[in-house]
Amino acid sequence: MQLTKNGGRIMERLKRIVSIISLIFILLPVTLAFAEEPKAPAAQAAPAATASPAEQAPAAPPAAPAWDAKIAADTVWVLITAFLVFFMNAGFALVESGLCRSKNAVNILSKNVIVFCVTVVFFWLVGFGIMFSSGSSFLGTTGWMLYGADNSPATGDAYKGIFASLNWTGVPLYAKFIFQLVFAGTAATIVSGAVAERIKYFSFFVFAAVMAVIIYPVAGHWIWGGGWLATMKTPFLDFAGSTVVHSIGGWAALMGAILLGPRIGKYTADGKVNAIPGHNMGMATLGMFILWFGWFGFNPGSTMAADPNAIATVAINTCIAGAVGGVAATFVAYMSLGKPDLSMALNGILAGLVAITASCNWVTPAGSFIIGLVAGVLVVYAVLFFDKIKVDDPVGALSVHLVNGIWGTLAVGLFAADIGGVKGLFYGGGTAQLISQIIGIVSVGVYVVIVSGISWLIIKGIMGLRVSKEEEREGLDIGEHGMEAYPDFVGASSKR
Amino acid sequence: MKKIEAIIKPFKLDDVKDALNEIGIQGMTVTEVKGFGRQKGHTEFYRGAEYVVEFLPKTKIEVVVSDEQAEKVVETIINTARTGNIGDGKIFVYDIKDVIRIRTGERGKEGI
């Protein structure tokens, strides 16, 4: 007995060493690449050139060219909103760990920490290039590690470079990158919640890399990278990512949750749903507020320019949809479940925010109200639906991000109020936009389901997906990480 | 000497303590405990599913007093801890063989 246990330990160590070596092999070419310095972006050269005449004539009042001020304002706006979106990592960490049990808190927090780190590395290496560089209408084929021609912040026809799909925003390339990077991180983080409390830590680690390399950038290229969905006769529209970020994350999460199966104790022997309460509703609530706060970067920042009217419109639409989603979910929970469940209210607010993300630039506050209202209703019934079909999603990630990502994307085709030339069905625009939205939803869904399904299965075959029953009962904190989140406290006693 | 052990609703602890102080008891021991009685816990709801909380949080107080004081202590606890609702708790009375104050070695009644 003792011997086999030791044998298992040694195998475990071997596996760890192999994974570390493979990591070194991945990182080695990167380190070598530093031998040649990247060409200084044109953006850095430009201000220096305009500064020198001023030095020669110090008596003249400093009259900065108008475009310079705009670039500065836009860049500050894009970076500040990027940092807000980055902060959403904290929101996800708190929501997910709060809605799970204390015995798995370290594991969930670890996943939220590592998923962003992994995304940074792989999105910089290849993800950004696949998503935004020129190539085919299916994926970009240059721009690895941001190398290649680029004269940002030049825009439109003045832009000469390989990231032409982003030539509409007049900010430096690195600002474009960091903004898109935090979005990629969000998509990957969504998966973490749905597979919580049972997935092996390093299996999730690998999937996070797959997400940042293949899944997110390819489907993203179709929509935001000048790919085929963006170049249809009536282009598919997704302003800030109801599909690009939330549905992609949601579809990948769905496949993970299905392949993992429900947590031990989620269903009784006769198939009845058992509640597995989260361990800290305070954390979950704070996490929701941080996500909401971050969404003021996520949506208004997606203008990628400090355009006063646009960012104000997007901000109010974002706020209204979230708030109405919370009210709707509270009342639906109260009427159909008997009590105004706090976790449902939190999910409802997030559902409203996800749903308004695709259309926030093209709808009126009244449209936003209805989009949020529908989202808040949808999310409660989606939670009950996923419970019923035995797809165990501890934090409601599928109901929030997948279901409402789809709803929000459809809503563009319904509620777009002839703002920026986009007209939805309810504003006399006919069904053209709606049909484009459906094409986008279905094609992205099919792609992500297939690729993430295959990726999960490969990971399952090589590393395994799910921890052992004993480990799941004891908690992943001890099993995966050898530590506890609350070593000073006695947890709630539970048969599960 | 008697030991009076009472399981009460946690929010009644302060009332009981104050009342026992008033009738002159010298000290008490308090423990946070969990348990069930005839109701077998209660049900709660989470995200549309029902679950049973089998052990409810209670507070256990232990007081050791002389035989003469015992009945007065029991009465006081009943009067202050009673809400009239299910789950008010129980009182157990034990005979105590001996009491020793560790610091001085005093025994029996002097030890209390």
Side-chain angles (χ1 to χ4, degrees):
Chain A
M1 182 63 202
Q2 193 57 39
L3 213 89
T4 50
K5 206 177 170 189
N6 281 342
R9 280 252 168 100
I10 290 162
M11 278 305 292
E12 236 357 83
R13 292 255 157 85
L14 265 176
K15 269 190 216 160
R16 274 177 208 179
I17 291 164
V18 169
S19 61
I20 288 166
I21 290 171
S22 44
L23 195 66
I24 291 169
F25 270 99
I26 293 164
L27 294 179
L28 198 63
V30 181
T31 336
L32 290 177
F34 277 109
E36 28 169 330
E37 276 294 303
K39 276 173 256 163
Q44 288 169 11
T50 52
S52 49
E55 277 167 24
Q56 287 160 8
W67 60 265
D68 219 354
K70 174 155 173 51
I71 289 172
D74 288 353
T75 305
V76 168
W77 176 244
V78 167
L79 287 179
I80 286 177
T81 52
F83 303 153
L84 280 173
V85 179
F86 165 79
F87 195 46
M88 289 169 79
N89 284 300
F92 278 111
L94 288 172
V95 167
E96 291 176 18
S97 52
L99 291 179
C100 290
R101 289 162 293 180
S102 57
K103 64 181 182 181
N104 297 318
V106 167
N107 177 251
I108 290 154
L109 296 170
S110 302
K111 276 159 57 198
N112 277 283
V113 166
I114 209 66
V115 71
F116 186 70
C117 300
V118 171
T119 305
V120 171
V121 173
F122 286 96
F123 199 69
W124 169 64
L125 285 176
V126 288
F128 187 81
I130 292 174
M131 189 151 169
F132 292 104
S133 79
S134 48
S136 73
S137 64
F138 287 94
L139 73 169
T141 48
T142 52
W144 317 127
M145 292 179 276
L146 307 181
Y147 280 77
D150 180 83
N151 69 341
S152 299
T155 57
D157 291 337
Y159 177 83
K160 300 278 179 278
I162 56 167
F163 299 112
S165 58
L166 287 172
N167 71 358
W168 51 273
T169 167
V171 298
L173 176 63
Y174 289 172
K176 295 175 186 175
F177 170 74
I178 199 139
F179 191 75
Q180 295 301 336
L181 166 69
V182 290
F183 273 59
T186 305
T189 305
I190 291 164
V191 179
S192 159
V195 299
E197 302 202 282
R198 56 211 195 278
I199 193 168
K200 283 186 170 176
Y201 179 67
F202 281 108
S203 301
F204 177 76
F205 184 107
V206 172
F207 188 79
V210 174
M211 196 74 187
V213 173
I214 305 166
I215 299 173
Y216 177 78
V218 173
H221 180 83
W222 302 354
I223 299 160
W224 288 349
W228 68 276
L229 282 171
T231 50
M232 290 192 299
K233 192 164 156 253
T234 307
F236 172 83
L237 292 175
D238 183 0
F239 183 67
S242 284
T243 288
V244 177
V245 177
H246 298 283
S247 294
I248 290 178
W251 287 118
L254 175 70
M255 296 311 288
I258 290 173
L259 288 170
L260 277 163
R263 289 166 292 172
I264 295 170
K266 172 76 182 182
Y267 297 97
T268 57
D270 54 348
K272 229 181 97 224
V273 182
N274 270 329
I276 304 182
H279 85 284
N280 191 332
M281 295 309 287
M283 282 170 81
T285 304
L286 178 59
M288 181 284 297
F289 274 118
I290 290 175
L291 285 171
W292 196 345
F293 181 55
W295 236 287
F296 288 122
F298 204 97
N299 289 356
S302 289
T303 54
M304 294 190 81
D307 170 350
N309 266 331
I311 61 180
T313 306
V314 174
I316 186 178
N317 284 342
T318 302
C319 195
I320 287 176
V324 175
V327 172
T330 299
F331 276 97
V332 172
Y334 181 52
M335 288 184 295
S336 67
L337 309 176
K339 290 281 183 194
D341 187 313
L342 173 62
S343 73
M344 289 292 197
L346 304 181
N347 277 169
I349 290 163
L350 298 178
L353 293 168
V354 169
I356 198 61
T357 294
S359 61
C360 53
N361 196 36
W362 298 302
V363 297
T364 62
S368 171
F369 181 97
I370 298 170
I371 292 169
L373 186 74
V374 174
V377 176
L378 273 179
V379 75
V380 176
Y381 290 111
V383 167
L384 302 179
F385 170 76
F386 285 118
D387 269 356
K388 199 167 183 187
I389 63 167
K390 300 212 160 86
V391 175
D392 185 12
D393 173 11
V395 307
L398 302 175
S399 310
V400 169
H401 299 281
L402 175 56
V403 172
N404 283 290
I406 291 171
W407 158 239
T409 308
L410 278 177
V412 177
L414 298 172
F415 294 96
D418 202 9
I419 297 167
V422 186
K423 232 184 204 181
L425 182 62
F426 298 155
Y427 288 81
T431 54
Q433 190 63 52
L434 188 63
I435 290 168
S436 286
Q437 298 304 101
I438 294 170
I439 294 170
I441 291 165
V442 172
S443 54
V444 169
V446 169
Y447 170 76
V448 179
V449 163
I450 292 173
V451 177
S452 68
I454 293 170
S455 310
W456 282 123
L457 285 173
I458 291 173
I459 294 168
K460 186 176 184 176
I462 295 171
M463 314 171 68
L465 273 190
R466 190 164 177 157
V467 299
S468 69
K469 273 186 183 150
E470 294 71 34
E471 181 178 337
E472 196 177 329
R473 286 210 178 87
E474 193 188 10
L476 275 66
D477 285 6
I478 296 289
E480 297 293 280
H481 307 275
M483 58 159 72
E484 289 177 85
Y486 311 99
D488 292 350
F489 294 91
V490 180
S493 62
S494 167
K495 286 186 287 190
R496 298 186 277 273
Chain B
M1 289 169 294
K2 296 269 192 282
K3 180 170 93 167
I4 291 118
E5 189 180 293
I7 313 279
I8 61 170
K9 286 184 190 273
F11 70 88
K12 280 288 186 185
L13 177 62
D14 274 354
D15 291 351
V16 172
K17 180 208 67 184
D18 290 344
L20 290 179
N21 266 333
E22 262 170 45
I23 62 164
I25 64 127
Q26 301 288 322
M28 71 195 305
T29 304
V30 177
T31 320
E32 288 174 11
V33 294
K34 282 180 167 189
F36 65 84
R38 282 184 288 183
Q39 300 301 316
K40 302 282 181 283
H42 66 195
T43 53
E44 292 183 11
F45 290 91
Y46 182 75
R47 300 174 77 75
E50 203 180 281
Y51 66 102
V52 181
V53 176
E54 283 147 331
F55 301 101
L56 297 179
K58 296 282 170 190
T59 299
K60 183 170 83 174
I61 56 178
E62 289 162 284
V63 187
V64 175
V65 292
S66 62
D67 290 339
E68 309 83 79
Q69 261 187 312
E71 200 47 40
K72 181 79 183 152
V73 168
V74 169
E75 265 171 40
T76 307
I77 294 174
I78 292 171
N79 289 337
T80 47
R82 180 183 279 165
T83 68
N85 295 321
I86 290 158
D88 272 353
K90 284 207 168 56
I91 300 174
F92 308 99
V93 183
Y94 302 83
D95 280 324
I96 291 290
K97 224 166 146 186
D98 203 357
V99 175
I100 301 112
R101 174 171 283 123
I102 293 173
R103 177 170 57 86
T104 59
E106 290 165 284
R107 285 181 167 255
K109 266 191 192 172
E110 273 65 49
I112 295 176

